[in-house]
Amino acid sequence: MFNPFSYFSKDIAIDLGTATTLVYVRGQGIVIFEPSVVAVNKKTGQILAIGNEAKKMVGRTPAHIIATRPLIKGVISDFEVTEHMLRYFIEKVHRQRFLISPRPRVIIGIPYGVTEVEKKAVEDATKSAGAREVYLIEQPMAAAIGARLPVQEAGGNFIIDIGGGTTQVAVISLGGLVLAKSLRIAGDKLNEDIVNFAREEYKLLIGERMAEEIKIGIGSASPLKEKREMPLRGRNLVTGLPEEIMVSDQDIRRALEKSVRQMVQTIKTTIEETPPELLADIMVKGIYLVGGGSLLKGFSDLVTKETKIPTKIIEDPLTAVARGAGMVLENLDELRDVLADTEELEPPR
């Protein structure tokens, strides 16, 4: 029977990432893909911009205006600002309709390994932002579903989700995480490595935006077929004057080496701890990479070399978690088992 309330309720799935937030609307797909950045006036506490508009302000604001990320390494660091950001995205979805929609049900992706207190913070912030019901799903599980891996079957699936704040490695079978590890080294840490390298090697102070451009342009985890170079622009810390120098892919690879090695070591440790029967499945199916960090040149080749298991980047890796959470939203009755368990916290005494 047609249910008009159901029709006008825009239930949504949110990939609440450290660097980017994606919003999937039931029946429509991904409709929002914006940076997880909020611009705040420190003097008044007023929220000035969220998402794309706030991202443009990073590093370009007066002292009393800060463009901040309310999530650090996938965890809410500023509850109030996160609530404002979630409300902005939820309302933006609902403004696309002429009628006022009821409060939506929301499925939200969270990093593996967050505490019950951190889960509760996400739930509370989402409800305060206008959600009727909140369901949580761990990002590696959502990513595996988004990659269309057979997660509900009795077979091993190996997924690596490299986001802005965390690298999450998981083995999935029968709709659950058999084994998972979370490392707080990912895209943001690689940017930080390039900033530190420029300062120590060239006495050059560069911004996060410049570091990210270099990482995307010539950053790599293993040697490239052809040498690449890019200009690195910043302020010379000795003279105080602007300076531009050319850096090669080899220089940047050296800057990223330590962090990349730690990521690969976490992957190898997870493989070592995987039950033999599931490992046999994984050796046939391969390892799947998702998330923006998986696009680092040569990373999949390095993982293949180090693990002896074929490794591939899925199609459209940036949207895997949002698509997976959206697929759960569309089929909530069939896929309810894959949602994260949430335990009621004891009331404070």
Side-chain angles (χ1 to χ4, degrees):
M1 185 177 181
F2 176 70
N3 182 348
F5 184 89
S6 162
Y7 177 77
F8 290 115
S9 175
K10 298 184 85 170
D11 292 342
I12 61 179
I14 301 176
D15 173 13
L16 188 63
T18 305
T20 312
T21 295
L22 290 82
V23 180
Y24 178 108
V25 176
R26 191 180 64 186
Q28 291 180 238
I30 294 169
V31 298
I32 292 175
F33 190 136
E34 296 195 29
S36 304
V37 181
V38 180
V40 183
N41 185 324
K42 285 200 295 184
K43 290 180 180 176
T44 63
Q46 181 187 1
I47 304 290
L48 301 177
I50 296 172
N52 287 326
E53 291 303 310
K55 175 82 170 179
K56 293 174 186 174
M57 298 182 182
V58 172
R60 294 173 172 158
T61 59
H64 67 283
I65 296 174
I66 55 167
T68 180
R69 288 180 177 177
L71 290 100
I72 294 176
K73 303 192 184 300
V75 175
I76 292 177
S77 62
D78 189 318
F79 182 90
E80 191 175 333
V81 174
T82 301
E83 182 189 319
H84 277 289
M85 187 173 75
L86 284 167
R87 181 177 287 113
Y88 166 81
F89 289 128
I90 290 171
E91 289 178 354
K92 189 170 183 177
V93 165
H94 284 255
R95 280 200 299 270
Q96 293 169 6
R97 283 246 172 114
F98 295 109
L99 297 175
I100 297 174
S101 304
R103 287 157 63 92
R105 289 188 303 179
V106 177
I107 292 180
I108 193 156
I110 56 169
Y112 167 77
V114 298
T115 65
E116 292 302 323
V117 172
E118 289 163 343
K119 286 181 185 178
K120 189 74 164 54
V122 174
E123 286 183 31
D124 290 348
T126 310
K127 283 181 178 175
S128 298
R132 178 171 93 250
E133 296 172 34
V134 180
Y135 302 94
L136 304 181
I137 184 168
E138 285 161 319
Q139 288 164 348
M141 177 62 78
I145 294 169
R148 299 193 175 276
L149 300 184
V151 297
Q152 291 186 299
E153 295 178 7
N157 300 281
F158 199 106
I159 191 107
I160 303 166
D161 180 7
I162 308 173
T166 57
T167 294
Q168 300 172 77
V169 185
V171 177
I172 298 170
S173 179
L174 287 173
L177 298 179
V178 177
L179 182 66
K181 294 187 183 296
S182 182
L183 177 69
R184 295 194 171 184
I185 292 175
D188 289 348
K189 179 63 169 68
L190 299 182
N191 293 345
E192 187 184 315
D193 290 341
I194 294 172
V195 171
N196 292 338
F197 177 79
R199 185 172 60 242
E200 292 164 10
E201 196 80 6
Y202 303 110
K203 300 294 183 284
L204 195 68
L205 181 64
I206 65 170
E208 183 186 329
R209 189 190 295 263
M210 180 82 256
E212 187 162 24
E213 286 178 15
I214 292 289
K215 179 185 73 178
I216 293 170
I218 61 173
S220 64
S222 52
L224 303 178
K225 291 179 181 176
E226 295 180 3
K227 183 180 177 182
R228 298 190 188 182
E229 290 187 331
M230 270 185 76
L232 189 64
R233 302 183 188 95
R235 185 173 74 244
N236 187 300
L237 290 168
V238 178
T239 66
L241 299 175
E243 186 177 348
E244 177 184 302
I245 59 169
M246 295 300 292
V247 290
S248 69
D249 60 281
Q250 186 176 353
D251 296 327
I252 302 307
R253 196 158 49 251
R254 192 153 45 93
L256 304 179
E257 185 179 14
K258 184 179 177 182
S259 293
V260 168
R261 193 166 59 241
Q262 287 179 269
M263 291 158 71
V264 170
Q265 186 55 50
T266 299
I267 296 165
K268 290 171 74 173
T269 302
T270 306
I271 290 171
E272 288 167 10
E273 296 176 10
T274 300
E277 290 296 332
L278 296 181
L279 187 56
D281 298 330
I282 292 162
M283 289 171 71
V284 174
K285 294 180 184 177
I287 293 171
Y288 291 84
L289 286 169
V290 305
S294 68
L295 297 173
L296 180 68
K297 296 175 186 65
F299 187 76
S300 60
D301 295 335
L302 181 63
V303 175
T304 299
K305 179 183 173 185
E306 292 288 333
T307 63
K308 307 295 189 288
I309 298 174
T311 303
K312 59 202 89 171
I313 304 169
I314 72 158
E315 188 177 344
D316 200 3
L318 291 165
T319 63
V321 172
R323 281 186 284 120
M327 289 165 72
V328 175
L329 183 71
E330 303 277 6
N331 304 281
L332 194 54
D333 291 336
E334 294 88 346
L335 294 173
R336 190 176 291 268
D337 289 348
V338 305
L339 296 171
D341 293 329
T342 51
E343 300 171 11
E344 286 296 320
L345 293 175
E346 291 185 13
R349 294 178 182 175

mmCIF file with all atom_site columns, all heavy atoms in Angstrom, residues 3-24:
data_model
loop_
_atom_site.group_PDB
_atom_site.id
_atom_site.type_symbol
_atom_site.label_atom_id
_atom_site.label_alt_id
_atom_site.label_comp_id
_atom_site.label_asym_id
_atom_site.label_entity_id
_atom_site.label_seq_id
_atom_site.pdbx_PDB_ins_code
_atom_site.Cartn_x
_atom_site.Cartn_y
_atom_site.Cartn_z
_atom_site.occupancy
_atom_site.B_iso_or_equiv
_atom_site.pdbx_formal_charge
_atom_site.auth_seq_id
_atom_site.auth_comp_id
_atom_site.auth_asym_id
_atom_site.auth_atom_id
_atom_site.pdbx_PDB_model_num
ATOM 1   N N   . ASN A 1 3  ? 2.469  4.551  0.907  1.00 0.00 ? 3  ASN A N   1
ATOM 2   C CA  . ASN A 1 3  ? 2.595  5.283  2.171  1.00 0.00 ? 3  ASN A CA  1
ATOM 3   C C   . ASN A 1 3  ? 3.164  6.670  1.885  1.00 0.00 ? 3  ASN A C   1
ATOM 4   O O   . ASN A 1 3  ? 4.358  6.808  1.645  1.00 0.00 ? 3  ASN A O   1
ATOM 5   C CB  . ASN A 1 3  ? 3.526  4.516  3.115  1.00 0.00 ? 3  ASN A CB  1
ATOM 6   C CG  . ASN A 1 3  ? 3.667  5.205  4.464  1.00 0.00 ? 3  ASN A CG  1
ATOM 7   O OD1 . ASN A 1 3  ? 3.256  6.349  4.629  1.00 0.00 ? 3  ASN A OD1 1
ATOM 8   N ND2 . ASN A 1 3  ? 4.236  4.486  5.428  1.00 0.00 ? 3  ASN A ND2 1
ATOM 9   N N   . PRO A 1 4  ? 2.326  7.730  1.896  1.00 0.00 ? 4  PRO A N   1
ATOM 10  C CA  . PRO A 1 4  ? 2.823  9.068  1.546  1.00 0.00 ? 4  PRO A CA  1
ATOM 11  C C   . PRO A 1 4  ? 3.889  9.558  2.509  1.00 0.00 ? 4  PRO A C   1
ATOM 12  O O   . PRO A 1 4  ? 4.814  10.259 2.133  1.00 0.00 ? 4  PRO A O   1
ATOM 13  C CB  . PRO A 1 4  ? 1.560  9.949  1.602  1.00 0.00 ? 4  PRO A CB  1
ATOM 14  C CG  . PRO A 1 4  ? 0.586  9.195  2.451  1.00 0.00 ? 4  PRO A CG  1
ATOM 15  C CD  . PRO A 1 4  ? 0.893  7.751  2.227  1.00 0.00 ? 4  PRO A CD  1
ATOM 16  N N   . PHE A 1 5  ? 3.808  9.163  3.786  1.00 0.00 ? 5  PHE A N   1
ATOM 17  C CA  . PHE A 1 5  ? 4.824  9.580  4.762  1.00 0.00 ? 5  PHE A CA  1
ATOM 18  C C   . PHE A 1 5  ? 6.185  9.026  4.367  1.00 0.00 ? 5  PHE A C   1
ATOM 19  O O   . PHE A 1 5  ? 7.193  9.716  4.367  1.00 0.00 ? 5  PHE A O   1
ATOM 20  C CB  . PHE A 1 5  ? 4.436  9.076  6.155  1.00 0.00 ? 5  PHE A CB  1
ATOM 21  C CG  . PHE A 1 5  ? 5.364  9.533  7.236  1.00 0.00 ? 5  PHE A CG  1
ATOM 22  C CD1 . PHE A 1 5  ? 5.150  10.731 7.892  1.00 0.00 ? 5  PHE A CD1 1
ATOM 23  C CD2 . PHE A 1 5  ? 6.461  8.761  7.600  1.00 0.00 ? 5  PHE A CD2 1
ATOM 24  C CE1 . PHE A 1 5  ? 6.019  11.147 8.885  1.00 0.00 ? 5  PHE A CE1 1
ATOM 25  C CE2 . PHE A 1 5  ? 7.330  9.175  8.585  1.00 0.00 ? 5  PHE A CE2 1
ATOM 26  C CZ  . PHE A 1 5  ? 7.099  10.370 9.223  1.00 0.00 ? 5  PHE A CZ  1
ATOM 27  N N   . SER A 1 6  ? 6.159  7.723  3.971  1.00 0.00 ? 6  SER A N   1
ATOM 28  C CA  . SER A 1 6  ? 7.404  7.087  3.539  1.00 0.00 ? 6  SER A CA  1
ATOM 29  C C   . SER A 1 6  ? 7.952  7.770  2.296  1.00 0.00 ? 6  SER A C   1
ATOM 30  O O   . SER A 1 6  ? 9.153  7.956  2.146  1.00 0.00 ? 6  SER A O   1
ATOM 31  C CB  . SER A 1 6  ? 7.142  5.612  3.273  1.00 0.00 ? 6  SER A CB  1
ATOM 32  O OG  . SER A 1 6  ? 8.146  5.050  2.499  1.00 0.00 ? 6  SER A OG  1
ATOM 33  N N   . TYR A 1 7  ? 7.065  8.175  1.392  1.00 0.00 ? 7  TYR A N   1
ATOM 34  C CA  . TYR A 1 7  ? 7.514  8.772  0.138  1.00 0.00 ? 7  TYR A CA  1
ATOM 35  C C   . TYR A 1 7  ? 8.229  10.103 0.391  1.00 0.00 ? 7  TYR A C   1
ATOM 36  O O   . TYR A 1 7  ? 9.249  10.396 -0.214 1.00 0.00 ? 7  TYR A O   1
ATOM 37  C CB  . TYR A 1 7  ? 6.319  8.987  -0.790 1.00 0.00 ? 7  TYR A CB  1
ATOM 38  C CG  . TYR A 1 7  ? 6.695  9.667  -2.075 1.00 0.00 ? 7  TYR A CG  1
ATOM 39  C CD1 . TYR A 1 7  ? 7.333  8.948  -3.082 1.00 0.00 ? 7  TYR A CD1 1
ATOM 40  C CD2 . TYR A 1 7  ? 6.440  11.018 -2.278 1.00 0.00 ? 7  TYR A CD2 1
ATOM 41  C CE1 . TYR A 1 7  ? 7.701  9.566  -4.263 1.00 0.00 ? 7  TYR A CE1 1
ATOM 42  C CE2 . TYR A 1 7  ? 6.802  11.640 -3.453 1.00 0.00 ? 7  TYR A CE2 1
ATOM 43  C CZ  . TYR A 1 7  ? 7.432  10.906 -4.451 1.00 0.00 ? 7  TYR A CZ  1
ATOM 44  O OH  . TYR A 1 7  ? 7.799  11.517 -5.614 1.00 0.00 ? 7  TYR A OH  1
ATOM 45  N N   . PHE A 1 8  ? 7.671  10.895 1.282  1.00 0.00 ? 8  PHE A N   1
ATOM 46  C CA  . PHE A 1 8  ? 8.234  12.224 1.508  1.00 0.00 ? 8  PHE A CA  1
ATOM 47  C C   . PHE A 1 8  ? 9.353  12.235 2.540  1.00 0.00 ? 8  PHE A C   1
ATOM 48  O O   . PHE A 1 8  ? 10.018 13.230 2.727  1.00 0.00 ? 8  PHE A O   1
ATOM 49  C CB  . PHE A 1 8  ? 7.132  13.210 1.915  1.00 0.00 ? 8  PHE A CB  1
ATOM 50  C CG  . PHE A 1 8  ? 6.200  13.543 0.783  1.00 0.00 ? 8  PHE A CG  1
ATOM 51  C CD1 . PHE A 1 8  ? 4.869  13.184 0.836  1.00 0.00 ? 8  PHE A CD1 1
ATOM 52  C CD2 . PHE A 1 8  ? 6.668  14.190 -0.344 1.00 0.00 ? 8  PHE A CD2 1
ATOM 53  C CE1 . PHE A 1 8  ? 4.024  13.479 -0.219 1.00 0.00 ? 8  PHE A CE1 1
ATOM 54  C CE2 . PHE A 1 8  ? 5.830  14.486 -1.401 1.00 0.00 ? 8  PHE A CE2 1
ATOM 55  C CZ  . PHE A 1 8  ? 4.492  14.128 -1.345 1.00 0.00 ? 8  PHE A CZ  1
ATOM 56  N N   . SER A 1 9  ? 9.550  11.114 3.259  1.00 0.00 ? 9  SER A N   1
ATOM 57  C CA  . SER A 1 9  ? 10.645 11.041 4.208  1.00 0.00 ? 9  SER A CA  1
ATOM 58  C C   . SER A 1 9  ? 11.934 10.715 3.453  1.00 0.00 ? 9  SER A C   1
ATOM 59  O O   . SER A 1 9  ? 12.051 9.656  2.851  1.00 0.00 ? 9  SER A O   1
ATOM 60  C CB  . SER A 1 9  ? 10.369 9.940  5.238  1.00 0.00 ? 9  SER A CB  1
ATOM 61  O OG  . SER A 1 9  ? 11.466 9.803  6.084  1.00 0.00 ? 9  SER A OG  1
ATOM 62  N N   . LYS A 1 10 ? 12.873 11.636 3.473  1.00 0.00 ? 10 LYS A N   1
ATOM 63  C CA  . LYS A 1 10 ? 14.113 11.442 2.726  1.00 0.00 ? 10 LYS A CA  1
ATOM 64  C C   . LYS A 1 10 ? 15.156 10.790 3.629  1.00 0.00 ? 10 LYS A C   1
ATOM 65  O O   . LYS A 1 10 ? 16.026 11.455 4.172  1.00 0.00 ? 10 LYS A O   1
ATOM 66  C CB  . LYS A 1 10 ? 14.607 12.773 2.165  1.00 0.00 ? 10 LYS A CB  1
ATOM 67  C CG  . LYS A 1 10 ? 13.646 13.395 1.184  1.00 0.00 ? 10 LYS A CG  1
ATOM 68  C CD  . LYS A 1 10 ? 14.196 14.645 0.567  1.00 0.00 ? 10 LYS A CD  1
ATOM 69  C CE  . LYS A 1 10 ? 15.066 14.336 -0.626 1.00 0.00 ? 10 LYS A CE  1
ATOM 70  N NZ  . LYS A 1 10 ? 15.411 15.543 -1.377 1.00 0.00 ? 10 LYS A NZ  1
ATOM 71  N N   . ASP A 1 11 ? 15.014 9.496  3.834  1.00 0.00 ? 11 ASP A N   1
ATOM 72  C CA  . ASP A 1 11 ? 15.989 8.778  4.644  1.00 0.00 ? 11 ASP A CA  1
ATOM 73  C C   . ASP A 1 11 ? 17.344 8.868  3.960  1.00 0.00 ? 11 ASP A C   1
ATOM 74  O O   . ASP A 1 11 ? 17.453 8.783  2.729  1.00 0.00 ? 11 ASP A O   1
ATOM 75  C CB  . ASP A 1 11 ? 15.565 7.317  4.810  1.00 0.00 ? 11 ASP A CB  1
ATOM 76  C CG  . ASP A 1 11 ? 14.310 7.186  5.662  1.00 0.00 ? 11 ASP A CG  1
ATOM 77  O OD1 . ASP A 1 11 ? 13.990 8.142  6.375  1.00 0.00 ? 11 ASP A OD1 1
ATOM 78  O OD2 . ASP A 1 11 ? 13.660 6.130  5.588  1.00 0.00 ? 11 ASP A OD2 1
ATOM 79  N N   . ILE A 1 12 ? 18.390 9.032  4.765  1.00 0.00 ? 12 ILE A N   1
ATOM 80  C CA  . ILE A 1 12 ? 19.710 9.290  4.185  1.00 0.00 ? 12 ILE A CA  1
ATOM 81  C C   . ILE A 1 12 ? 20.794 8.452  4.861  1.00 0.00 ? 12 ILE A C   1
ATOM 82  O O   . ILE A 1 12 ? 20.634 7.998  5.993  1.00 0.00 ? 12 ILE A O   1
ATOM 83  C CB  . ILE A 1 12 ? 20.084 10.790 4.275  1.00 0.00 ? 12 ILE A CB  1
ATOM 84  C CG1 . ILE A 1 12 ? 20.143 11.266 5.727  1.00 0.00 ? 12 ILE A CG1 1
ATOM 85  C CG2 . ILE A 1 12 ? 19.124 11.644 3.484  1.00 0.00 ? 12 ILE A CG2 1
ATOM 86  C CD1 . ILE A 1 12 ? 20.543 12.735 5.868  1.00 0.00 ? 12 ILE A CD1 1
ATOM 87  N N   . ALA A 1 13 ? 21.868 8.246  4.123  1.00 0.00 ? 13 ALA A N   1
ATOM 88  C CA  . ALA A 1 13 ? 23.066 7.606  4.660  1.00 0.00 ? 13 ALA A CA  1
ATOM 89  C C   . ALA A 1 13 ? 24.202 8.605  4.548  1.00 0.00 ? 13 ALA A C   1
ATOM 90  O O   . ALA A 1 13 ? 24.319 9.307  3.533  1.00 0.00 ? 13 ALA A O   1
ATOM 91  C CB  . ALA A 1 13 ? 23.391 6.341  3.870  1.00 0.00 ? 13 ALA A CB  1
ATOM 92  N N   . ILE A 1 14 ? 25.015 8.705  5.594  1.00 0.00 ? 14 ILE A N   1
ATOM 93  C CA  . ILE A 1 14 ? 26.090 9.705  5.629  1.00 0.00 ? 14 ILE A CA  1
ATOM 94  C C   . ILE A 1 14 ? 27.430 9.025  5.896  1.00 0.00 ? 14 ILE A C   1
ATOM 95  O O   . ILE A 1 14 ? 27.562 8.242  6.839  1.00 0.00 ? 14 ILE A O   1
ATOM 96  C CB  . ILE A 1 14 ? 25.831 10.763 6.734  1.00 0.00 ? 14 ILE A CB  1
ATOM 97  C CG1 . ILE A 1 14 ? 24.505 11.485 6.493  1.00 0.00 ? 14 ILE A CG1 1
ATOM 98  C CG2 . ILE A 1 14 ? 26.974 11.774 6.786  1.00 0.00 ? 14 ILE A CG2 1
ATOM 99  C CD1 . ILE A 1 14 ? 24.126 12.468 7.594  1.00 0.00 ? 14 ILE A CD1 1
ATOM 100 N N   . ASP A 1 15 ? 28.383 9.318  5.037  1.00 0.00 ? 15 ASP A N   1
ATOM 101 C CA  . ASP A 1 15 ? 29.775 8.932  5.306  1.00 0.00 ? 15 ASP A CA  1
ATOM 102 C C   . ASP A 1 15 ? 30.427 10.155 5.928  1.00 0.00 ? 15 ASP A C   1
ATOM 103 O O   . ASP A 1 15 ? 30.834 11.085 5.228  1.00 0.00 ? 15 ASP A O   1
ATOM 104 C CB  . ASP A 1 15 ? 30.472 8.531  4.004  1.00 0.00 ? 15 ASP A CB  1
ATOM 105 C CG  . ASP A 1 15 ? 31.974 8.280  4.199  1.00 0.00 ? 15 ASP A CG  1
ATOM 106 O OD1 . ASP A 1 15 ? 32.416 8.174  5.368  1.00 0.00 ? 15 ASP A OD1 1
ATOM 107 O OD2 . ASP A 1 15 ? 32.701 8.197  3.193  1.00 0.00 ? 15 ASP A OD2 1
ATOM 108 N N   . LEU A 1 16 ? 30.491 10.155 7.256  1.00 0.00 ? 16 LEU A N   1
ATOM 109 C CA  . LEU A 1 16 ? 31.023 11.312 7.993  1.00 0.00 ? 16 LEU A CA  1
ATOM 110 C C   . LEU A 1 16 ? 32.529 11.144 8.120  1.00 0.00 ? 16 LEU A C   1
ATOM 111 O O   . LEU A 1 16 ? 33.038 10.554 9.064  1.00 0.00 ? 16 LEU A O   1
ATOM 112 C CB  . LEU A 1 16 ? 30.358 11.380 9.374  1.00 0.00 ? 16 LEU A CB  1
ATOM 113 C CG  . LEU A 1 16 ? 30.641 12.613 10.234 1.00 0.00 ? 16 LEU A CG  1
ATOM 114 C CD1 . LEU A 1 16 ? 30.113 13.878 9.564  1.00 0.00 ? 16 LEU A CD1 1
ATOM 115 C CD2 . LEU A 1 16 ? 30.001 12.463 11.602 1.00 0.00 ? 16 LEU A CD2 1
ATOM 116 N N   . GLY A 1 17 ? 33.254 11.654 7.130  1.00 0.00 ? 17 GLY A N   1
ATOM 117 C CA  . GLY A 1 17 ? 34.695 11.466 7.094  1.00 0.00 ? 17 GLY A CA  1
ATOM 118 C C   . GLY A 1 17 ? 35.467 12.618 7.705  1.00 0.00 ? 17 GLY A C   1
ATOM 119 O O   . GLY A 1 17 ? 34.944 13.726 7.849  1.00 0.00 ? 17 GLY A O   1
ATOM 120 N N   . THR A 1 18 ? 36.705 12.357 8.056  1.00 0.00 ? 18 THR A N   1
ATOM 121 C CA  . THR A 1 18 ? 37.582 13.402 8.603  1.00 0.00 ? 18 THR A CA  1
ATOM 122 C C   . THR A 1 18 ? 37.780 14.520 7.587  1.00 0.00 ? 18 THR A C   1
ATOM 123 O O   . THR A 1 18 ? 37.788 15.698 7.942  1.00 0.00 ? 18 THR A O   1
ATOM 124 C CB  . THR A 1 18 ? 38.953 12.796 8.973  1.00 0.00 ? 18 THR A CB  1
ATOM 125 O OG1 . THR A 1 18 ? 38.751 11.699 9.876  1.00 0.00 ? 18 THR A OG1 1
ATOM 126 C CG2 . THR A 1 18 ? 39.845 13.832 9.630  1.00 0.00 ? 18 THR A CG2 1
ATOM 127 N N   . ALA A 1 19 ? 37.945 14.148 6.321  1.00 0.00 ? 19 ALA A N   1
ATOM 128 C CA  . ALA A 1 19 ? 38.219 15.137 5.278  1.00 0.00 ? 19 ALA A CA  1
ATOM 129 C C   . ALA A 1 19 ? 36.985 15.505 4.465  1.00 0.00 ? 19 ALA A C   1
ATOM 130 O O   . ALA A 1 19 ? 36.826 16.658 4.058  1.00 0.00 ? 19 ALA A O   1
ATOM 131 C CB  . ALA A 1 19 ? 39.312 14.622 4.344  1.00 0.00 ? 19 ALA A CB  1
ATOM 132 N N   . THR A 1 20 ? 36.105 14.532 4.219  1.00 0.00 ? 20 THR A N   1
ATOM 133 C CA  . THR A 1 20 ? 34.965 14.744 3.330  1.00 0.00 ? 20 THR A CA  1
ATOM 134 C C   . THR A 1 20 ? 33.716 14.085 3.889  1.00 0.00 ? 20 THR A C   1
ATOM 135 O O   . THR A 1 20 ? 33.787 13.015 4.483  1.00 0.00 ? 20 THR A O   1
ATOM 136 C CB  . THR A 1 20 ? 35.269 14.135 1.935  1.00 0.00 ? 20 THR A CB  1
ATOM 137 O OG1 . THR A 1 20 ? 36.556 14.561 1.501  1.00 0.00 ? 20 THR A OG1 1
ATOM 138 C CG2 . THR A 1 20 ? 34.237 14.566 0.912  1.00 0.00 ? 20 THR A CG2 1
ATOM 139 N N   . THR A 1 21 ? 32.569 14.727 3.673  1.00 0.00 ? 21 THR A N   1
ATOM 140 C CA  . THR A 1 21 ? 31.285 14.149 4.042  1.00 0.00 ? 21 THR A CA  1
ATOM 141 C C   . THR A 1 21 ? 30.473 13.901 2.780  1.00 0.00 ? 21 THR A C   1
ATOM 142 O O   . THR A 1 21 ? 30.339 14.793 1.941  1.00 0.00 ? 21 THR A O   1
ATOM 143 C CB  . THR A 1 21 ? 30.507 15.079 4.993  1.00 0.00 ? 21 THR A CB  1
ATOM 144 O OG1 . THR A 1 21 ? 31.226 15.200 6.230  1.00 0.00 ? 21 THR A OG1 1
ATOM 145 C CG2 . THR A 1 21 ? 29.121 14.529 5.300  1.00 0.00 ? 21 THR A CG2 1
ATOM 146 N N   . LEU A 1 22 ? 29.959 12.675 2.642  1.00 0.00 ? 22 LEU A N   1
ATOM 147 C CA  . LEU A 1 22 ? 29.103 12.324 1.513  1.00 0.00 ? 22 LEU A CA  1
ATOM 148 C C   . LEU A 1 22 ? 27.724 11.959 2.045  1.00 0.00 ? 22 LEU A C   1
ATOM 149 O O   . LEU A 1 22 ? 27.614 11.317 3.095  1.00 0.00 ? 22 LEU A O   1
ATOM 150 C CB  . LEU A 1 22 ? 29.668 11.132 0.732  1.00 0.00 ? 22 LEU A CB  1
ATOM 151 C CG  . LEU A 1 22 ? 30.938 11.367 -0.083 1.00 0.00 ? 22 LEU A CG  1
ATOM 152 C CD1 . LEU A 1 22 ? 32.183 11.272 0.790  1.00 0.00 ? 22 LEU A CD1 1
ATOM 153 C CD2 . LEU A 1 22 ? 31.048 10.337 -1.210 1.00 0.00 ? 22 LEU A CD2 1
ATOM 154 N N   . VAL A 1 23 ? 26.696 12.367 1.319  1.00 0.00 ? 23 VAL A N   1
ATOM 155 C CA  . VAL A 1 23 ? 25.325 12.082 1.731  1.00 0.00 ? 23 VAL A CA  1
ATOM 156 C C   . VAL A 1 23 ? 24.601 11.345 0.606  1.00 0.00 ? 23 VAL A C   1
ATOM 157 O O   . VAL A 1 23 ? 24.571 11.818 -0.539 1.00 0.00 ? 23 VAL A O   1
ATOM 158 C CB  . VAL A 1 23 ? 24.556 13.369 2.102  1.00 0.00 ? 23 VAL A CB  1
ATOM 159 C CG1 . VAL A 1 23 ? 23.124 13.036 2.520  1.00 0.00 ? 23 VAL A CG1 1
ATOM 160 C CG2 . VAL A 1 23 ? 25.271 14.128 3.212  1.00 0.00 ? 23 VAL A CG2 1
ATOM 161 N N   . TYR A 1 24 ? 24.046 10.193 0.942  1.00 0.00 ? 24 TYR A N   1
ATOM 162 C CA  . TYR A 1 24 ? 23.282 9.360  0.020  1.00 0.00 ? 24 TYR A CA  1
ATOM 163 C C   . TYR A 1 24 ? 21.807 9.471  0.404  1.00 0.00 ? 24 TYR A C   1
ATOM 164 O O   . TYR A 1 24 ? 21.457 9.321  1.573  1.00 0.00 ? 24 TYR A O   1
ATOM 165 C CB  . TYR A 1 24 ? 23.764 7.914  0.144  1.00 0.00 ? 24 TYR A CB  1
ATOM 166 C CG  . TYR A 1 24 ? 23.056 6.896  -0.716 1.00 0.00 ? 24 TYR A CG  1
ATOM 167 C CD1 . TYR A 1 24 ? 23.689 6.334  -1.826 1.00 0.00 ? 24 TYR A CD1 1
ATOM 168 C CD2 . TYR A 1 24 ? 21.763 6.458  -0.411 1.00 0.00 ? 24 TYR A CD2 1
ATOM 169 C CE1 . TYR A 1 24 ? 23.059 5.371  -2.614 1.00 0.00 ? 24 TYR A CE1 1
ATOM 170 C CE2 . TYR A 1 24 ? 21.119 5.503  -1.190 1.00 0.00 ? 24 TYR A CE2 1
ATOM 171 C CZ  . TYR A 1 24 ? 21.770 4.969  -2.290 1.00 0.00 ? 24 TYR A CZ  1
ATOM 172 O OH  . TYR A 1 24 ? 21.138 4.028  -3.060 1.00 0.00 ? 24 TYR A OH  1
#
